[in-house]
Amino acid sequence: MKILLLDKNHPLITEQLLAKNFILEEDFTSSYDEVCGKIQNYDGVIIRSRIPLDKNFLEKASNLKFIARVGAGMENIDIPVAEKLGIQLINSPEGNRDSVAEHVVGMLLILMNRLFIASNEVKKGIWLREENRGDELLGKTVGLIGYGNMGKATAKRLSGFGCKVIFHDILPDLSDEFATQVSLEELKEKAEVLSLHIPMTEETHYLIDSTFISEMKNDFYFVNTARGKNVETKYLVETLKSGKVKGACLDVLEYEKASFEKLELENEDLQYLLDSEKVIVTPHIAGWTHQSKEKLAQVIVDKIIASFC
């Protein structure tokens, strides 16, 4: 089988697939149109986020048997068209679930204990103790939306901090030793920390909007390591200002490019997030550890070999 690699990934992908007699070609620079012009020559494609695999692309890929996404999200692929064409879809959420979970906990600890703020103050010669009194995770009810690989790994970590973890998911009967499944209404009633672990779909676009936030009974901390457009930022900013949202940990932003390479828009809401002491922002790196890079690649290779060798 002939496979086109469109993004740079861990070299084990190339090494292990070549050892299984796959034919590999790398193209990390060609434009969307240039790739469309040659995609009919390949049986498989391995991607991250650089090029969208839309209806036009997939219809030109007349010999494509699989698409492998090194990562979890599949929103840059026209899934209904791919399925209609009989193209197998492969992703690797197992590979970075641990790094995402650790990132969630790390951001919460930094935010709730004012660690960045206090550290920067001391480095400037400012010694404030009462003003930097922290807020403990212990005893808090954490509500997760989505209980797949990322949600489960996050629940496991937070349960170790003495949190009561509840979650809502569209699939039934997912409760385990780390978290209890509840209705969305119950989650809104009980959660003191809210964390998103959902894909980007029509149903989850702007899931967190003014209505959702107003229906949360408690003032709460908010964490998003899922997708930026799961959240309507202007309402998040409004409720950060009002105090309804006590603080936000954002690894993803509504204003990111589809390729996640940089921000494509700047406005007053973004500037508030960047300036506020109540917000921690990171550049879409929750799943981006040295270990996850290797694990993501290994999961992809294992799944390709299992299906096509």
Side-chain angles (χ1 to χ4, degrees):
M1 295 180 69
K2 192 174 182 181
I3 302 174
L4 178 64
L5 288 75
L6 287 175
D7 297 274
K8 292 181 180 179
N9 287 293
H10 196 284
L12 73 80
I13 292 179
T14 300
E15 293 165 4
Q16 294 186 22
L17 291 180
L18 285 175
K20 291 291 184 178
N21 297 317
F22 289 91
I23 300 168
L24 305 183
E25 291 187 13
E26 297 177 345
D27 186 344
F28 306 146
T29 58
S30 290
S31 68
Y32 168 87
D33 288 335
E34 289 170 333
V35 177
C36 281
K38 64 179 182 179
I39 193 60
Q40 73 277 2
N41 299 321
Y42 299 93
D43 301 290
V45 60
I46 300 176
I47 63 167
R48 284 209 315 260
S49 305
R50 187 172 69 87
I51 289 180
L53 276 59
D54 56 13
K55 184 174 185 289
N56 174 65
F57 182 102
L58 295 173
E59 288 180 344
K60 293 180 183 300
S62 53
N63 293 304
L64 206 60
K65 297 175 180 61
F66 75 86
I67 298 166
R69 160 75 160 95
V70 183
M74 305 285 274
E75 67 270 14
N76 62 331
I77 303 168
D78 192 326
I79 293 175
V81 172
E83 291 176 342
K84 182 179 179 181
L85 294 172
I87 300 171
Q88 182 175 341
L89 300 178
I90 300 168
N91 66 343
S92 54
E94 306 92 337
N96 62 352
R97 60 189 173 194
D98 297 313
S99 61
V100 169
E102 291 188 12
H103 199 89
V104 169
V105 174
M107 287 197 297
L108 279 171
L109 292 173
I110 289 167
L111 179 73
M112 295 172 66
N113 292 282
R114 297 175 61 84
L115 298 181
F116 275 152
I117 298 166
S119 177
N120 287 332
E121 287 176 351
V122 172
K123 290 178 179 181
K124 295 174 183 177
I126 303 168
W127 190 271
L128 298 175
R129 297 184 68 223
E130 183 60 33
E131 292 84 350
N132 285 310
R133 192 180 288 274
D135 191 10
E136 294 180 5
L137 270 171
L138 177 66
K140 285 193 169 49
T141 298
V142 180
L144 309 178
I145 301 183
Y147 206 62
N149 282 281
M150 312 304 176
K152 290 176 182 177
T154 301
K156 182 177 181 179
R157 271 74 175 179
L158 289 171
S159 65
F161 280 84
C163 297
K164 178 181 179 181
V165 186
I166 58 177
F167 69 90
H168 175 72
D169 196 283
I170 59 173
L171 298 177
D173 303 321
L174 298 178
S175 295
D176 57 24
E177 61 186 304
F178 304 114
T180 302
Q181 188 161 8
V182 298
S183 67
L184 192 57
E185 291 70 26
E186 184 175 348
L187 185 144
K188 290 177 182 178
E189 179 183 350
K190 294 182 176 179
E192 299 164 278
V193 178
L194 177 66
S195 186
L196 301 188
H197 302 277
I198 50 179
M200 184 63 227
T201 66
E202 289 184 9
E203 291 74 23
T204 64
H205 183 233
Y206 285 166
L207 175 67
I208 308 302
D209 58 9
S210 60
T211 300
F212 191 106
I213 295 173
S214 68
E215 291 173 350
M216 293 287 289
K217 180 180 178 181
N218 302 307
D219 296 346
F220 65 99
Y221 295 99
F222 177 67
V223 186
N224 190 11
T225 54
R227 288 292 184 262
K229 289 183 172 59
N230 294 141
V231 181
E232 198 162 5
T233 306
K234 62 181 178 180
Y235 295 115
L236 176 62
V237 168
E238 285 181 12
T239 47
L240 281 162
K241 290 177 179 177
S242 73
K244 177 67 178 180
V245 178
K246 298 166 73 174
C249 303
L250 307 174
D251 182 54
V252 291
L253 293 165
E254 180 182 351
Y255 313 118
E256 287 179 76
K257 288 179 66 67
S259 61
F260 312 137
E261 293 170 336
K262 61 181 179 179
L263 296 173
E264 64 178 355
L265 173 67
E266 297 183 15
N267 57 26
E268 291 182 2
D269 291 331
L270 173 62
Q271 198 58 51
Y272 174 85
L273 297 177
L274 299 180
D275 292 341
S276 175
E277 289 188 345
K278 298 168 69 175
V279 181
I280 291 178
V281 183
T282 52
H284 205 133
I285 57 169
W288 208 248
T289 61
H290 295 291
Q291 292 80 7
S292 71
K293 182 177 183 180
E294 181 173 351
K295 288 190 282 187
L296 285 166
Q298 190 63 63
V299 170
I300 285 295
V301 168
D302 291 346
K303 290 182 177 181
I304 292 172
I305 290 172
S307 294
F308 298 100
C309 285

